[in-house]
Amino acid sequence: MKTMSSLLAALLGGGNKKGGRSVPFARYVLVLVAVVLLYGWLFHIIMAWEGQEHTWFTGVYWALTVMSTLGFGDITFASDLGRIFSSIVLLTGVVMLLIILPFLFISLVYAPWLEQRGSARIHDLRSVPGDVNGHVLICTNDPLALGLIRRLQLAGIPGYLIEPDLTLALQLQDVGVPVIIGELDAVDTYRAAGADRAQLVLANAADTVNSNIILTVRALSETVPVVALADETDSIDVLELSGATHVLPLKQQLGKHLSKRVSAGTTHSNVIGKFQDLLLAEFPVHETPFQDKTIRETRLREYTGITILGVSEQGRVKPAHPDLRLTPLSVPVIIGTPEQIEELDTVLVIYNANPNPVLIVGGGKVGRAAALDLKERNIPVHMVEKNEDLAAVIGDMPDRLFLGDAADRSVLSEAGIESAPSILLTTHDDAMNVFLTVYCRRLNPDARIITRVTHERNVEGIQRAGADFVLSYSSFGVQTVLSIVSERELIVLGEGLDLFYIPVPPSLAEKTLAEAQIGARTNLNVIAFEEGGEVITSVSQERRLKEGSKLIALGSAAQREQFEAVFGSGASKRGESV
């Protein structure tokens, strides 16, 4: 094999030079022609010795058929000398046509083509196209990066991920992720990525790296908005001083949003967001007059003006329809004015009084933020934490701290799990949260179990385990960043339910909402309209849709994609947001 390699290397000498790739091939063709002619001449000599007569072209034809291993058998030798000669010709053909020729093709044609194609791909990774403006740059491939790019695409906003590793960048490109290759601390990277014309730069690496990213971007542009994620509260000031437009301590904010889903004390609605002059809220129906009734039978809209937008049950949000029955596990998501929400609370306040403390499992950043928020609302809190080193950090945030393993039943019993109205699972281990969800559901079937996950892919698993409300770090981060991109107030409705601004497509222009049947065909719930910059929250089924206006709808990303598949897209998806 070494000898064969040496021969091939000698034959292809100079083939690696860009201008001399045709030289080895020309040499090969000349050698091949000479060998065929030589074998054709020897063919005639041996055939004449055997007493056979053939034309000169027949000799060339025979040499080619034998060398190519076709061997039709229409012309054969009768003597052993002829058969030996045929074997030599056959072996020569195997080497020249089946080994050397493919090697030449790979070296001189296929490999250069691959190299050129790879160079073109790498060139595409070097910069954002010059005609792209208003894009979002994401600096690290973390749990929220790919989800954010998908949601930006759904909103018609270009998103690009910066990746320093070439191999990973090519892999991301292969799966359709817009990616730019470059170092995070190089001004040239952000210049090539068009940071000066970007809508936003997201610094989502470690706190120390984010500070460097911000300073690097600011060396190129003083005006481009930079959003930085902060893992530590102490880093917020440093990132702001570095030049960040917004600093997001996502874990602390995640804890606060989880605490808003707690059911404690008397039954009441929990406000989870604000939309124009309306409030988005949710309330449990367990042991209230609404339990076991259909949405139509509750007559909430008739008596209070409140609209039920969806129903959360065991972590899954179902679209609202009049015949949907509310079970003891149902938590309707509602929209109404502050006065209407307050009127509902006067009905709920006399039901399901449970003064026992809320139980938080996990004293990390998320758990501590949830405990502080609950304490500000005068809701008693017990906390279970395994790591004794965190005891000093946790301090008096909860009313009582229990140090021990949450998998130990005696620890949970001492913390009051059997009587807790709500249980918050805030550990950073998704598998542990799934395990604890199953365990806590068995110990307290009536408690409202609220949990966090890091990766969106684990949401379904923890819902199957019995969680009543799940919020992933990645989807929460995506929604938070999108609210900044769209310059709208953050509304976190939970996994599977988001707010979309959808341009009215031409196929729906001048149709009434009833004629469009958007809810029936896509399960999206239209809650308002935007026309001429004005938001109209009074939704009538007889209202005609105008091209150029926007529908404001609640639903999932899949339902949003279904809308586009059924009705097509508007003239421009630009500016649509979640």
Side-chain angles (χ1 to χ4, degrees), residues 64 285 336 468 491 505:
L64 289 173
V285 301
D468 294 297
I491 298 176

Side-chain angles (χ1 to χ4, degrees), residues 126-127 180-183 185-194 216 220:
R126 295 293 182 189
S127 62
I180 299 296
I181 186 168
E183 297 299 329
D185 57 355
V187 175
D188 288 342
T189 298
Y190 298 96
R191 182 178 291 111
T216 305
L220 182 65

Side-chain angles (χ1 to χ4, degrees), residues 1-2 13 19 24 46 55 77 80 97 115 120 138 245 272 291 295 311 322 327-328 390 423 428 449 487 513 517:
M1 291 300 295
K2 288 183 179 179
I46 297 174
T55 64
F77 289 101
D80 287 343
L97 297 180
E115 182 181 351
I138 305 167
T245 313
I272 58 177
Q291 181 176 316
I295 291 178
V311 178
T327 71
L390 286 178
I423 303 168
H428 57 79
I449 298 179
E487 298 180 345
L513 199 57
Q517 294 187 321

Side-chain angles (χ1 to χ4, degrees), residues 189-228:
T189 298
Y190 298 96
R191 182 178 291 111
D196 57 334
R197 60 181 190 274
Q199 188 169 350
L200 182 140
V201 176
L202 175 63
N204 56 328
D207 292 356
T208 52
V209 178
N210 285 344
S211 179
N212 198 357
I213 290 172
I214 297 165
L215 292 170
T216 305
V217 173
R218 286 290 170 248
L220 182 65
S221 172
E222 291 292 336
T223 58
V224 60
V226 179
V227 174

